Amino acid sequence: MIRTAVAELRVPGSGRRQWAFLTDRRALAAGALAALLLGLIGWVTTGPATAAWAVLAGLLIASLTATDEPNG
């Protein structure tokens, strides 16, 4: 968040480009699937504390799998 804010101050509009993966259906599906699988495995092995880490990993995976092409 801080990195996005600093980038936005330097170049207006860059924050929107950094978070554009939230509108990419394929990226969100990949991130949600990863978060679900990691969350289930983590819950069974170590308990509910891993849910936050699973969500964070899902967001990271979604941001990495996003395409720069507009959705259509």
Side-chain angles (χ1 to χ4, degrees):
M1 296 295 264
I2 294 171
R3 182 186 222 174
T4 301
V6 170
E8 184 68 28
L9 288 173
R10 291 184 181 160
V11 180
S14 64
R16 185 175 295 131
R17 285 188 298 275
Q18 287 180 357
W19 289 91
F21 72 90
L22 292 174
T23 60
D24 187 351
R25 288 182 181 170
R26 187 177 64 91
L28 284 179
L33 179 65
L36 179 69
L37 292 176
L38 289 171
L40 286 174
I41 292 168
W43 191 291
V44 169
T45 57
T46 61
T50 58
W53 290 106
V55 169
L56 184 62
L59 282 173
L60 178 63
I61 290 170
S63 69
L64 291 174
T65 58
T67 59
D68 292 334
E69 300 170 4
N71 294 332

